[in-house]
Amino acid sequence: MQKELAKNQQILHVTDCESQNGGARAFADALKRNIALKELDLSGNPIGIDGVKALAEALTANTKLKSLRLVLEGVETCKAEKLFCEALRLNTTIVVV
């Protein structure tokens, strides 16, 4: 996955794949080194709070991603929103969450 994101791929839709916290952490690790991806759609995946935390942390290091889509189902929504708000204070390039 990390090799794929390091290429010139700008849009990646990984929807309804049953990707959970482990998948979200893998995407987060790849996003930290991302040089091309501008849009990532993870909606429809049951990502828990640990995955949300990893993605939010990755956003603080990523300067290319402009759009991250995910649906928070069964996650502590207030906690997840707080994590993303904190990350977005440091990330000025993302415009859609």
Side-chain angles (χ1 to χ4, degrees):
M1 178 184 327
Q2 293 172 1
K3 290 179 183 177
E4 290 178 29
L5 289 181
K7 294 180 183 177
N8 292 327
Q9 187 169 357
Q10 293 187 3
I11 298 173
L12 182 60
H13 293 251
V14 187
T15 59
D16 301 308
C17 299
E18 296 301 315
S19 181
Q20 298 178 357
N21 286 328
R25 284 192 296 269
F27 278 109
D29 287 343
L31 284 174
K32 290 177 185 177
R33 291 179 285 284
N34 172 52
I35 58 170
L37 193 67
K38 293 182 180 178
E39 179 180 323
L40 176 59
D41 186 349
L42 297 174
S43 58
N45 292 294
I47 297 170
I49 197 66
D50 290 339
V52 168
K53 185 176 181 179
L55 288 167
E57 181 182 307
L59 292 181
T60 64
N62 183 288
T63 60
K64 299 295 181 187
L65 195 70
K66 296 199 181 294
S67 173
L68 173 63
R69 291 187 173 95
L70 61 136
V71 177
L72 303 174
E73 298 176 10
V75 172
E76 300 172 48
T77 305
C78 289
K79 186 173 184 178
E81 288 173 353
K82 183 178 179 182
L83 290 168
F84 280 118
C85 285
E86 290 172 7
L88 292 175
R89 285 189 194 124
L90 299 172
N91 182 317
T92 58
T93 58
I94 198 155
V95 293
V96 177
V97 176

